[in-house]
Amino acid sequence: MAASDIIESIFGKYKHFSSRCPLKQIGQMILSICLCTMNLTTSVVKQALENVRYIDLKDWSSQVFGQSMLSKRKIVFSTLDNDAEFV
């Protein structure tokens, strides 16, 4: 049962990490799971920053995850503000 202990530990770390996020959605947060399974060193971060452009990551994220819950909320509430009448 060691495998299930590892999986439970990883999801426990994910739940702890995601509990600090204001909007509870799994989407892009699922990518944080891999951080629990690797040794994140400065050289790994440096290599990632040198090889991955932000615009490419943003495009990929939009294709894979679609519109975020926060952006959907902004659209809905900005529409409500424009339609509101003040007395």
Side-chain angles (χ1 to χ4, degrees):
M1 295 296 173
S4 65
D5 290 343
I6 293 169
I7 293 170
E8 288 180 30
S9 174
I10 289 172
F11 275 101
K13 289 177 183 179
Y14 166 77
K15 288 168 79 175
H16 176 72
F17 179 77
S18 66
S19 69
R20 294 179 275 177
C21 297
L23 296 174
K24 305 297 181 218
Q25 63 178 18
I26 198 163
Q28 295 171 342
M29 288 296 298
I30 199 75
L31 298 174
S32 66
I33 287 179
C34 65
L35 298 175
C36 299
T37 63
M38 63 183 292
N39 185 14
L40 195 60
T41 63
T42 54
S43 62
V44 170
V45 173
K46 182 178 185 285
Q47 182 181 5
L49 291 173
E50 290 174 346
N51 292 307
V52 179
R53 296 183 322 160
Y54 173 74
I55 191 73
D56 295 334
L57 178 62
K58 186 176 176 184
D59 290 345
W60 174 84
S61 177
S62 294
Q63 291 173 5
V64 173
F65 297 109
Q67 191 175 16
S68 72
M69 186 62 69
L70 181 59
S71 67
K72 289 177 185 177
R73 288 172 54 107
K74 284 182 180 179
I75 291 169
V76 168
F77 289 119
S78 69
T79 303
L80 292 176
D81 288 343
N82 293 337
D83 292 340
E85 291 183 21
F86 296 99
V87 285

Coordinates of all heavy atoms in Angstrom, one line a residue:
M1 N 0.8 -1.2 0.0 CA 0.0 0.0 0.0 C 0.8 1.3 0.0 O 0.3 2.3 0.2 CB -0.9 0.0 1.2 CG -2.0 -1.1 1.2 SD -3.1 -0.8 -0.2 CE -4.0 -2.3 -0.1
A2 N 2.1 1.1 -0.2 CA 3.0 2.3 -0.2 C 2.6 3.3 -1.4 O 2.7 4.5 -1.2 CB 4.4 1.9 -0.4
A3 N 2.1 2.8 -2.5 CA 1.8 3.6 -3.6 C 0.6 4.5 -3.2 O 0.6 5.7 -3.6 CB 1.4 2.8 -4.8
S4 N -0.4 4.0 -2.5 CA -1.5 4.8 -2.2 C -1.1 5.8 -1.1 O -1.7 6.9 -1.1 CB -2.7 3.9 -1.6 OG -2.3 3.3 -0.4
D5 N -0.2 5.5 -0.3 CA 0.3 6.5 0.7 C 1.0 7.7 0.0 O 0.8 8.8 0.4 CB 1.3 5.9 1.7 CG 0.7 4.9 2.6 OD1 -0.6 4.9 2.8 OD2 1.4 4.1 3.2
I6 N 1.7 7.4 -1.1 CA 2.4 8.4 -1.9 C 1.4 9.3 -2.5 O 1.4 10.5 -2.5 CB 3.4 7.8 -2.9 CG1 4.5 7.1 -2.1 CG2 3.9 8.9 -3.8 CD1 5.4 6.3 -3.0
I7 N 0.4 8.7 -3.1 CA -0.7 9.4 -3.8 C -1.5 10.3 -2.8 O -1.7 11.5 -3.1 CB -1.6 8.5 -4.6 CG1 -0.9 7.9 -5.7 CG2 -2.9 9.2 -5.1 CD1 -1.6 6.7 -6.4
E8 N -1.8 9.8 -1.7 CA -2.5 10.5 -0.6 C -1.6 11.7 -0.2 O -2.1 12.8 0.1 CB -2.9 9.6 0.5 CG -4.0 8.7 0.2 CD -4.3 7.8 1.4 OE1 -4.2 8.2 2.5 OE2 -4.8 6.7 1.2
S9 N -0.4 11.5 0.0 CA 0.6 12.5 0.4 C 0.6 13.7 -0.6 O 0.6 14.8 -0.3 CB 2.0 12.0 0.6 OG 2.9 13.0 0.9
I10 N 0.7 13.3 -1.9 CA 0.8 14.3 -2.9 C -0.5 15.1 -3.0 O -0.5 16.3 -3.1 CB 1.1 13.6 -4.3 CG1 2.5 13.1 -4.3 CG2 0.8 14.6 -5.5 CD1 2.9 12.3 -5.5
F11 N -1.7 14.4 -2.9 CA -2.9 15.2 -2.9 C -3.1 16.0 -1.7 O -3.8 17.1 -1.7 CB -4.1 14.2 -3.2 CG -4.3 14.0 -4.7 CD1 -3.9 12.9 -5.3 CD2 -5.0 15.0 -5.4 CE1 -4.1 12.7 -6.6 CE2 -5.2 14.8 -6.8 CZ -4.7 13.6 -7.4
G12 N -2.6 15.5 -0.5 CA -2.7 16.3 0.7 C -1.9 17.6 0.5 O -2.3 18.7 1.0
K13 N -0.7 17.5 -0.1 CA 0.1 18.7 -0.3 C -0.6 19.6 -1.3 O -0.6 20.9 -1.1 CB 1.5 18.3 -0.9 CG 2.4 17.7 0.2 CD 3.7 17.2 -0.4 CE 4.5 16.5 0.6 NZ 5.8 16.1 0.1
Y14 N -1.2 19.1 -2.3 CA -2.0 19.9 -3.3 C -3.1 20.6 -2.6 O -3.3 21.8 -2.8 CB -2.5 19.0 -4.4 CG -3.6 19.7 -5.2 CD1 -3.2 20.7 -6.2 CD2 -4.9 19.5 -5.0 CE1 -4.2 21.4 -6.9 CE2 -5.9 20.2 -5.7 CZ -5.5 21.1 -6.7 OH -6.4 21.8 -7.4
K15 N -3.9 19.9 -1.7 CA -5.0 20.5 -1.0 C -4.5 21.6 -0.1 O -5.2 22.7 0.0 CB -5.8 19.4 -0.3 CG -6.6 18.5 -1.2 CD -7.1 17.3 -0.4 CE -8.3 17.6 0.4 NZ -8.9 16.4 1.0
H16 N -3.4 21.4 0.6 CA -2.8 22.4 1.4 C -2.4 23.7 0.6 O -2.7 24.8 1.0 CB -1.6 21.9 2.2 CG -0.9 22.9 3.0 ND1 -1.5 23.4 4.2 CD2 0.3 23.5 2.9 CE1 -0.7 24.3 4.7 NE2 0.4 24.4 3.9
F17 N -1.7 23.4 -0.5 CA -1.3 24.5 -1.4 C -2.5 25.3 -2.0 O -2.6 26.5 -1.9 CB -0.4 24.0 -2.5 CG 0.1 25.0 -3.5 CD1 1.1 25.9 -3.1 CD2 -0.5 25.1 -4.7 CE1 1.6 26.8 -4.0 CE2 -0.1 26.1 -5.6 CZ 1.0 26.9 -5.2
S18 N -3.5 24.6 -2.4 CA -4.7 25.2 -3.1 C -5.6 25.9 -2.1 O -6.4 26.7 -2.5 CB -5.4 24.2 -3.9 OG -6.0 23.2 -3.1
S19 N -5.5 25.5 -0.8 CA -6.4 26.1 0.2 C -6.1 27.6 0.3 O -6.9 28.4 0.8 CB -6.2 25.4 1.5 OG -4.9 25.7 2.1
R20 N -4.9 28.1 -0.1 CA -4.6 29.5 0.0 C -5.1 30.3 -1.2 O -5.0 31.5 -1.2 CB -3.1 29.6 0.1 CG -2.5 29.1 1.4 CD -1.0 29.2 1.5 NE -0.5 28.1 0.8 CZ 0.8 27.9 0.6 NH1 1.7 28.8 1.0 NH2 1.3 26.8 -0.1
C21 N -5.7 29.6 -2.2 CA -6.2 30.3 -3.4 C -7.6 30.8 -3.1 O -8.5 30.0 -2.6 CB -6.2 29.4 -4.6 SG -4.5 28.9 -5.0
P22 N -8.0 32.0 -3.5 CA -9.3 32.5 -3.2 C -10.4 31.8 -4.0 O -11.5 31.6 -3.5 CB -9.2 34.0 -3.7 CG -8.0 34.1 -4.6 CD -7.1 33.0 -4.2
L23 N -10.1 31.4 -5.3 CA -11.1 30.7 -6.1 C -10.8 29.2 -6.1 O -9.7 28.9 -6.5 CB -11.2 31.3 -7.5 CG -11.6 32.8 -7.6 CD1 -11.5 33.2 -9.0 CD2 -13.1 32.9 -7.1
K24 N -11.7 28.4 -5.7 CA -11.5 27.0 -5.7 C -11.8 26.3 -7.0 O -12.9 26.0 -7.3 CB -12.3 26.3 -4.6 CG -12.1 26.9 -3.2 CD -10.7 26.8 -2.7 CE -10.5 27.4 -1.4 NZ -9.2 28.0 -1.2
Q25 N -10.8 26.2 -7.8 CA -11.0 25.5 -9.1 C -9.7 24.7 -9.4 O -8.6 25.1 -9.0 CB -11.3 26.4 -10.3 CG -10.1 27.4 -10.6 CD -10.5 28.3 -11.8 OE1 -11.6 28.4 -12.2 NE2 -9.5 28.9 -12.4
I26 N -9.9 23.5 -9.9 CA -8.7 22.7 -10.1 C -7.9 23.1 -11.3 O -6.6 23.1 -11.2 CB -9.1 21.2 -10.1 CG1 -7.9 20.3 -9.8 CG2 -9.8 20.8 -11.4 CD1 -8.2 18.9 -9.4
G27 N -8.4 23.4 -12.4 CA -7.8 23.8 -13.6 C -6.3 23.9 -13.6 O -5.6 22.9 -13.5
Q28 N -5.8 25.1 -13.6 CA -4.3 25.4 -13.6 C -3.6 24.9 -12.4 O -2.4 24.6 -12.4 CB -4.0 26.8 -14.0 CG -4.5 27.2 -15.3 CD -4.4 28.7 -15.6 OE1 -4.3 29.5 -14.7 NE2 -4.4 29.1 -16.9
M29 N -4.3 24.9 -11.3 CA -3.7 24.5 -10.0 C -3.2 23.1 -10.0 O -2.3 22.7 -9.3 CB -4.7 24.7 -8.8 CG -5.0 26.1 -8.5 SD -3.6 27.0 -7.8 CE -3.2 26.0 -6.4
I30 N -3.8 22.3 -10.9 CA -3.4 20.9 -11.0 C -1.9 20.8 -11.3 O -1.2 19.8 -11.0 CB -4.3 20.1 -12.0 CG1 -4.1 18.6 -11.7 CG2 -3.9 20.4 -13.4 CD1 -4.9 18.1 -10.5
L31 N -1.4 21.8 -12.0 CA 0.0 21.8 -12.4 C 1.0 21.9 -11.2 O 2.1 21.5 -11.3 CB 0.3 23.0 -13.4 CG -0.4 22.9 -14.7 CD1 -0.2 24.2 -15.5 CD2 -0.1 21.7 -15.5
S32 N 0.4 22.3 -10.1 CA 1.3 22.4 -8.9 C 1.6 21.0 -8.3 O 2.5 20.9 -7.5 CB 0.6 23.3 -7.8 OG -0.6 22.7 -7.3
I33 N 0.9 20.0 -8.7 CA 1.1 18.7 -8.2 C 2.5 18.2 -8.5 O 3.2 17.6 -7.7 CB 0.0 17.7 -8.7 CG1 -1.3 18.0 -7.9 CG2 0.5 16.2 -8.4 CD1 -2.4 17.1 -8.3
C34 N 3.0 18.5 -9.7 CA 4.3 18.1 -10.1 C 5.4 18.7 -9.2 O 6.5 18.1 -9.0 CB 4.6 18.4 -11.6 SG 4.7 20.1 -11.9
L35 N 5.1 19.8 -8.6 CA 6.1 20.4 -7.7 C 6.3 19.6 -6.4 O 7.4 19.7 -5.8 CB 5.6 21.8 -7.3 CG 5.5 22.8 -8.4 CD1 4.9 24.2 -7.9 CD2 6.8 23.1 -9.1
C36 N 5.4 18.7 -6.1 CA 5.5 17.9 -4.9 C 6.4 16.7 -5.2 O 6.8 15.9 -4.3 CB 4.2 17.4 -4.4 SG 3.0 18.7 -4.0
T37 N 6.6 16.4 -6.5 CA 7.3 15.2 -6.9 C 8.7 15.4 -7.4 O 9.4 14.5 -7.9 CB 6.5 14.4 -7.9 OG1 6.5 15.2 -9.1 CG2 5.1 14.1 -7.4
M38 N 9.2 16.6 -7.3 CA 10.5 16.9 -7.9 C 11.4 17.8 -6.9 O 10.8 18.4 -6.0 CB 10.4 17.6 -9.2 CG 9.7 19.0 -9.2 SD 9.5 19.7 -10.8 CE 11.2 20.1 -11.3
N39 N 12.7 17.8 -7.2 CA 13.6 18.6 -6.4 C 13.7 19.9 -7.2 O 14.4 20.0 -8.2 CB 14.9 17.9 -6.3 CG 15.9 18.7 -5.4 OD1 15.5 19.7 -4.7 ND2 17.1 18.4 -5.5
L40 N 13.0 20.9 -6.8 CA 13.0 22.2 -7.4 C 14.2 23.1 -7.0 O 14.2 23.6 -6.0 CB 11.7 23.0 -7.1 CG 11.3 24.1 -8.0 CD1 11.1 23.7 -9.4 CD2 10.0 24.8 -7.4
T41 N 15.2 23.1 -7.9 CA 16.4 23.8 -7.6 C 16.5 25.1 -8.4 O 15.7 25.3 -9.4 CB 17.6 23.0 -8.0 OG1 17.6 22.7 -9.4 CG2 17.6 21.6 -7.3
T42 N 17.4 26.0 -8.1 CA 17.5 27.2 -8.8 C 17.9 26.9 -10.3 O 17.5 27.7 -11.2 CB 18.6 28.1 -8.2 OG1 19.8 27.4 -8.1 CG2 18.1 28.6 -6.8
S43 N 18.7 25.9 -10.5 CA 19.1 25.6 -11.9 C 17.8 25.1 -12.7 O 17.7 25.5 -13.9 CB 20.2 24.6 -12.0 OG 19.8 23.4 -11.4
V44 N 16.9 24.4 -12.1 CA 15.7 23.9 -12.8 C 14.8 25.2 -13.1 O 14.3 25.3 -14.3 CB 14.9 22.9 -11.9 CG1 13.5 22.7 -12.5 CG2 15.7 21.6 -11.8
V45 N 14.7 26.1 -12.2 CA 13.9 27.3 -12.4 C 14.5 28.1 -13.5 O 13.8 28.6 -14.4 CB 13.7 28.1 -11.1 CG1 13.0 29.4 -11.4 CG2 12.9 27.2 -10.1
K46 N 15.8 28.3 -13.4 CA 16.6 29.1 -14.4 C 16.4 28.5 -15.8 O 16.1 29.2 -16.8 CB 18.0 29.2 -14.1 CG 18.9 30.0 -15.0 CD 20.3 30.0 -14.5 CE 21.2 30.9 -15.4 NZ 21.6 30.4 -16.6
Q47 N 16.5 27.2 -15.9 CA 16.4 26.6 -17.2 C 14.9 26.7 -17.8 O 14.7 27.0 -19.0 CB 16.7 25.1 -17.1 CG 16.6 24.3 -18.4 CD 16.9 22.8 -18.3 OE1 17.1 22.3 -17.2 NE2 16.9 22.1 -19.4
A48 N 13.9 26.6 -16.9 CA 12.6 26.8 -17.3 C 12.3 28.2 -17.8 O 11.7 28.4 -18.8 CB 11.6 26.5 -16.2
L49 N 12.8 29.2 -17.0 CA 12.7 30.6 -17.4 C 13.4 31.0 -18.7 O 12.9 31.8 -19.5 CB 13.1 31.5 -16.3 CG 12.3 31.5 -15.0 CD1 12.9 32.3 -13.9 CD2 10.9 32.0 -15.3
E50 N 14.5 30.3 -19.0 CA 15.2 30.6 -20.2 C 14.6 29.9 -21.5 O 14.8 30.3 -22.6 CB 16.7 30.1 -20.1 CG 17.5 30.9 -19.1 CD 18.9 30.4 -18.8 OE1 19.1 29.2 -19.2 OE2 19.7 31.2 -18.3
N51 N 13.8 28.8 -21.2 CA 13.4 28.0 -22.4 C 11.9 28.1 -22.7 O 11.4 27.7 -23.7 CB 13.7 26.5 -22.2 CG 15.2 26.3 -22.2 OD1 15.9 26.7 -23.2 ND2 15.7 25.7 -21.2
V52 N 11.1 28.7 -21.8 CA 9.7 28.8 -22.0 C 9.3 30.3 -22.0 O 9.5 31.0 -21.0 CB 8.9 28.1 -20.9 CG1 7.4 28.2 -21.1 CG2 9.3 26.6 -20.8
R53 N 8.7 30.7 -23.1 CA 8.2 32.1 -23.1 C 6.8 32.2 -22.5 O 6.0 31.3 -22.6 CB 8.2 32.6 -24.6 CG 9.5 32.6 -25.3 CD 9.4 33.1 -26.7 NE 8.2 32.7 -27.4 CZ 7.7 33.3 -28.5 NH1 8.3 34.3 -29.0 NH2 6.6 32.8 -29.1
Y54 N 6.6 33.3 -21.9 CA 5.3 33.6 -21.2 C 4.2 33.5 -22.2 O 3.1 32.9 -21.9 CB 5.3 34.9 -20.5 CG 3.9 35.3 -19.9 CD1 3.5 34.6 -18.8 CD2 3.1 36.2 -20.5 CE1 2.2 34.9 -18.3 CE2 1.9 36.5 -20.0 CZ 1.4 35.8 -18.9 OH 0.2 36.1 -18.4
I55 N 4.3 34.1 -23.3 CA 3.2 34.1 -24.3 C 2.9 32.7 -24.8 O 1.7 32.3 -25.0 CB 3.6 35.0 -25.5 CG1 2.3 35.2 -26.4 CG2 4.7 34.4 -26.4 CD1 1.3 36.1 -25.8
D56 N 3.9 31.8 -24.9 CA 3.7 30.4 -25.3 C 2.9 29.7 -24.1 O 2.0 28.9 -24.4 CB 5.0 29.7 -25.6 CG 5.7 30.2 -26.8 OD1 5.0 30.8 -27.7 OD2 6.9 30.1 -26.9
L57 N 3.3 29.9 -22.9 CA 2.6 29.3 -21.8 C 1.2 29.8 -21.7 O 0.2 29.1 -21.4 CB 3.4 29.7 -20.5 CG 2.7 29.2 -19.2 CD1 2.7 27.6 -19.2 CD2 3.5 29.7 -18.0
K58 N 1.0 31.1 -21.9 CA -0.4 31.7 -21.9 C -1.3 31.1 -22.9 O -2.4 30.7 -22.7 CB -0.3 33.2 -22.0 CG -1.6 33.9 -21.9 CD -1.4 35.4 -22.0 CE -2.7 36.2 -21.9 NZ -2.5 37.6 -22.1
D59 N -0.7 31.0 -24.2 CA -1.5 30.3 -25.3 C -1.8 28.9 -25.0 O -3.0 28.4 -25.2 CB -0.7 30.4 -26.6 CG -0.6 31.9 -27.1 OD1 -1.4 32.7 -26.6 OD2 0.2 32.1 -28.0
W60 N -0.8 28.1 -24.5 CA -1.1 26.7 -24.1 C -2.1 26.6 -23.0 O -3.0 25.8 -23.1 CB 0.3 26.1 -23.7 CG 0.1 24.7 -23.2 CD1 0.1 23.6 -24.0 CD2 -0.1 24.3 -21.9 NE1 -0.1 22.5 -23.2 CE2 -0.2 22.9 -21.9 CE3 -0.1 24.9 -20.6 CZ2 -0.4 22.1 -20.7 CZ3 -0.3 24.2 -19.5 CH2 -0.4 22.8 -19.5
S61 N -2.0 27.4 -22.0 CA -2.9 27.4 -20.9 C -4.4 27.7 -21.4 O -5.3 27.0 -21.0 CB -2.5 28.4 -19.9 OG -3.4 28.4 -18.8
S62 N -4.5 28.6 -22.3 CA -5.8 29.0 -22.8 C -6.4 27.8 -23.6 O -7.6 27.5 -23.5 CB -5.8 30.2 -23.7 OG -5.4 31.3 -23.0
Q63 N -5.6 27.2 -24.4 CA -6.0 26.0 -25.2 C -6.4 24.8 -24.3 O -7.4 24.2 -24.5 CB -5.0 25.6 -26.1 CG -4.7 26.5 -27.3 CD -3.5 26.1 -28.1 OE1 -2.9 25.1 -27.9 NE2 -3.1 27.0 -29.0
V64 N -5.6 24.6 -23.3 CA -5.9 23.4 -22.4 C -7.0 23.6 -21.4 O -7.9 22.8 -21.2 CB -4.6 23.0 -21.7 CG1 -4.8 21.9 -20.7 CG2 -3.5 22.5 -22.8
F65 N -6.9 24.8 -20.7 CA -7.8 25.0 -19.6 C -9.0 25.9 -19.9 O -10.0 26.0 -19.2 CB -7.1 25.6 -18.4 CG -6.0 24.7 -17.8 CD1 -4.7 25.0 -18.0 CD2 -6.3 23.6 -17.2 CE1 -3.7 24.2 -17.5 CE2 -5.4 22.7 -16.7 CZ -4.0 23.0 -16.8
G66 N -8.9 26.7 -21.0 CA -10.0 27.6 -21.3 C -10.0 28.8 -20.4 O -9.0 29.1 -19.7
Q67 N -11.1 29.5 -20.4 CA -11.3 30.7 -19.6 C -11.3 30.4 -18.1 O -12.0 29.5 -17.7 CB -12.5 31.4 -20.1 CG -12.7 32.8 -19.6 CD -13.9 33.4 -20.2 OE1 -14.8 32.8 -20.7 NE2 -14.0 34.7 -20.1
S68 N -10.6 31.2 -17.3 CA -10.6 30.9 -15.9 C -11.9 31.4 -15.3 O -12.6 32.2 -15.8 CB -9.4 31.6 -15.3 OG -9.6 33.0 -15.3
M69 N -12.1 30.9 -14.1 CA -13.3 31.3 -13.3 C -13.3 32.8 -13.0 O -14.3 33.5 -13.1 CB -13.4 30.4 -12.0 CG -14.7 30.7 -11.3 SD -16.2 30.2 -12.2 CE -16.0 28.5 -12.2
L70 N -12.1 33.3 -12.7 CA -11.9 34.7 -12.3 C -12.3 35.6 -13.5 O -13.0 36.6 -13.4 CB -10.5 35.0 -11.8 CG -10.2 36.4 -11.5 CD1 -11.1 36.9 -10.3 CD2 -8.8 36.6 -11.0
S71 N -11.8 35.2 -14.7 CA -12.1 36.0 -15.9 C -13.6 36.0 -16.2 O -14.2 37.0 -16.6 CB -11.3 35.6 -17.1 OG -11.6 34.3 -17.5
K72 N -14.2 34.8 -16.0 CA -15.7 34.7 -16.2 C -16.4 35.6 -15.2 O -17.4 36.3 -15.6 CB -16.1 33.3 -16.0 CG -15.7 32.4 -17.2 CD -16.1 30.9 -16.9 CE -15.6 30.0 -17.9 NZ -16.0 28.6 -17.6
R73 N -16.0 35.6 -14.0 CA -16.6 36.5 -13.0 C -16.5 38.0 -13.4 O -17.4 38.7 -13.2 CB -16.0 36.2 -11.6 CG -16.4 34.9 -11.0 CD -15.7 34.6 -9.7 NE -15.8 35.7 -8.8 CZ -16.5 35.7 -7.7 NH1 -17.2 34.5 -7.4 NH2 -16.6 36.7 -6.9
K74 N -15.3 38.3 -13.8 CA -15.0 39.7 -14.2 C -16.0 40.2 -15.3 O -16.5 41.3 -15.3 CB -13.6 39.9 -14.6 CG -12.6 40.0 -13.5 CD -11.2 40.2 -14.0 CE -10.2 40.3 -12.9 NZ -8.8 40.5 -13.4
I75 N -16.2 39.3 -16.3 CA -17.1 39.6 -17.4 C -18.5 39.8 -16.9 O -19.2 40.7 -17.3 CB -17.0 38.5 -18.5 CG1 -15.6 38.6 -19.2 CG2 -18.1 38.6 -19.5 CD1 -15.3 37.4 -20.1
V76 N -19.0 38.8 -16.1 CA -20.3 38.9 -15.6 C -20.6 40.2 -14.8 O -21.5 40.9 -15.0 CB -20.7 37.6 -14.8 CG1 -22.0 37.8 -14.0 CG2 -20.8 36.4 -15.7
F77 N -19.7 40.4 -13.8 CA -19.9 41.6 -13.0 C -19.6 42.9 -13.6 O -20.2 43.9 -13.3 CB -19.0 41.4 -11.7 CG -19.5 40.3 -10.8 CD1 -18.7 39.3 -10.5 CD2 -20.8 40.4 -10.2 CE1 -19.2 38.3 -9.6 CE2 -21.3 39.4 -9.4 CZ -20.5 38.3 -9.1
S78 N -18.7 43.0 -14.6 CA -18.6 44.2 -15.4 C -19.8 44.5 -16.2 O -20.2 45.6 -16.4 CB -17.3 44.2 -16.2 OG -17.5 43.3 -17.3
T79 N -20.5 43.5 -16.7 CA -21.7 43.6 -17.5 C -22.8 44.1 -16.6 O -23.6 45.0 -16.9 CB -22.1 42.3 -18.1 OG1 -21.1 41.8 -18.9 CG2 -23.4 42.5 -19.0
L80 N -22.9 43.6 -15.4 CA -23.9 44.0 -14.4 C -23.7 45.5 -14.0 O -24.6 46.2 -13.9 CB -23.8 43.2 -13.2 CG -24.3 41.7 -13.3 CD1 -24.1 40.9 -12.0 CD2 -25.7 41.6 -13.8
D81 N -22.4 45.9 -13.9 CA -22.1 47.3 -13.5 C -22.6 48.3 -14.6 O -23.1 49.3 -14.4 CB -20.6 47.5 -13.2 CG -20.2 46.9 -11.9 OD1 -21.1 46.6 -11.1 OD2 -19.0 46.7 -11.8
N82 N -22.4 47.9 -15.9 CA -22.8 48.7 -17.0 C -24.3 48.8 -17.2 O -24.8 49.8 -17.7 CB -22.1 48.2 -18.3 CG -20.6 48.3 -18.3 OD1 -20.1 49.1 -17.6 ND2 -20.0 47.5 -19.1
D83 N -25.0 47.8 -16.8 CA -26.4 47.8 -16.9 C -27.2 48.4 -15.7 O -28.4 48.6 -15.7 CB -26.9 46.4 -17.1 CG -26.5 45.8 -18.4 OD1 -26.2 46.6 -19.3 OD2 -26.5 44.5 -18.6
A84 N -26.4 48.7 -14.6 CA -27.1 49.1 -13.4 C -27.5 50.6 -13.5 O -26.8 51.4 -14.1 CB -26.1 49.0 -12.2
E85 N -28.6 50.9 -12.9 CA -29.1 52.3 -12.9 C -29.0 52.7 -11.4 O -29.4 52.0 -10.5 CB -30.5 52.4 -13.4 CG -30.6 52.1 -14.9 CD -32.1 52.3 -15.3 OE1 -32.8 53.0 -14.6 OE2 -32.4 51.7 -16.4
F86 N -28.4 53.9 -11.3 CA -28.3 54.4 -9.9 C -29.4 55.5 -9.7 O -29.6 56.3 -10.6 CB -26.9 55.0 -9.7 CG -25.8 54.0 -9.8 CD1 -25.1 53.9 -11.0 CD2 -25.5 53.2 -8.7 CE1 -24.1 52.9 -11.1 CE2 -24.5 52.2 -8.8 CZ -23.8 52.1 -10.0
V87 N -30.0 55.5 -8.5 CA -31.0 56.5 -8.2 C -30.5 57.4 -7.1 O -29.7 57.2 -6.4 CB -32.3 55.8 -7.7 CG1 -33.0 55.3 -9.0 CG2 -32.1 54.8 -6.7

